[in-house]
Amino acid sequence: MSETRTVVLVEGASDKAAIEVLARRHERDLAAEGISLVAMGGATNIGTYVGRYGPAGLGLRLAGLCDAGEEVDYRRSLERAGLGSGLDRDGLEALGFFTCVADLEDELIRALGTDAVEEVIEAEGELGSFRTLQRQPAWRGGSTHDQLRRFMGAGSGRKIRYSGLLVAALELDRVPRPLDLLLAHVLSDRPSPLAG
């Protein structure tokens, strides 16, 4: 295992699982390449982790993935750490932080398509559970996309399990933009903004 040079900050274990599977599909060993994935236990913890690993802490190269709703927290924390000012989405991406339109599950469902996601659910033996959710009054008549997002978020460990399964089912040319760009960024040899 190589010494950590890059820390990738993600909201939770489902994001971490998706990145791990995508790296394996590209035949890359993140740990061996000095890249550590850190699930923060919620996006609101970004400031703590930027402080721990960023310029005021260990001085490591940082990157990350966030949901659109948490983008403001990421901007503020990175700016407070001295990694930019007036950051917009392009500025975040230049630092290696990429934003999912709604969340990672939304990105993955759109990339695969609802039929393919249902096939993954069926292969896991949970299509009956998904059909039950679809019949519930709160979800009946809703879009299959929204029903799938709800299904992924319900049930213990389901979000974590399915994020990896959905990435495994993707064609590599259909990987959602934020996930694809994040992996490319952390595997690049670009120096940290802290260097030099």
Side-chain angles (χ1 to χ4, degrees), residues 51-118:
R52 181 177 302 158
Y53 296 112
L58 297 175
L60 300 173
R61 179 180 183 225
L62 300 176
L65 190 67
C66 68
D67 299 342
E70 279 77 35
E71 192 176 48
V72 171
D73 291 330
Y74 276 57
R75 286 178 184 164
R76 286 185 191 137
S77 295
L78 293 167
E79 288 173 0
R80 271 195 296 268
L83 294 172
S85 62
L87 293 173
D88 58 9
R89 190 164 289 176
D90 289 339
L92 285 174
E93 289 188 358
L95 291 173
F97 287 82
F98 301 91
T99 304
C100 296
V101 170
D103 54 29
L104 184 57
E105 290 72 32
D106 170 65
E107 295 273 1
L108 291 170
I109 293 165
R110 277 189 291 112
L112 267 172
T114 57
D115 290 344
V117 174
E118 286 191 30

Side-chain angles (χ1 to χ4, degrees), residues 117-180:
V117 174
E118 286 191 30
E119 288 173 16
V120 172
I121 292 170
E122 184 172 23
E124 289 298 299
E126 290 198 291
L127 192 59
S129 297
F130 176 60
R131 297 290 183 236
T132 299
L133 178 139
Q134 289 182 301
R135 289 190 297 271
Q136 292 174 359
W139 294 102
R140 196 178 313 131
S143 73
T144 303
H145 178 97
D146 290 343
Q147 293 167 342
L148 287 166
R149 278 186 69 208
R150 173 62 183 141
F151 180 76
M152 299 295 165
S156 178
R158 189 178 280 157
K159 198 176 201 182
I160 298 165
R161 183 163 45 99
Y162 277 105
S163 66
L165 291 169
L166 296 180
V167 170
L170 279 170
E171 296 295 329
L172 287 176
D173 63 352
R174 304 270 309 158
V175 174
R177 181 183 183 278
L179 198 55
D180 196 38

Side-chain angles (χ1 to χ4, degrees), residues 13-58:
S14 63
D15 305 304
K16 183 179 177 191
I19 296 165
E20 289 169 340
V21 171
L22 184 58
R24 281 196 301 272
R25 292 200 59 205
H26 282 284
E27 299 180 355
R28 302 299 287 262
D29 182 339
L30 297 179
E33 297 187 51
I35 300 162
S36 178
L37 302 176
V38 176
M40 300 182 298
T44 56
N45 294 323
I46 182 71
T48 299
Y49 285 90
V50 168
R52 181 177 302 158
Y53 296 112
L58 297 175

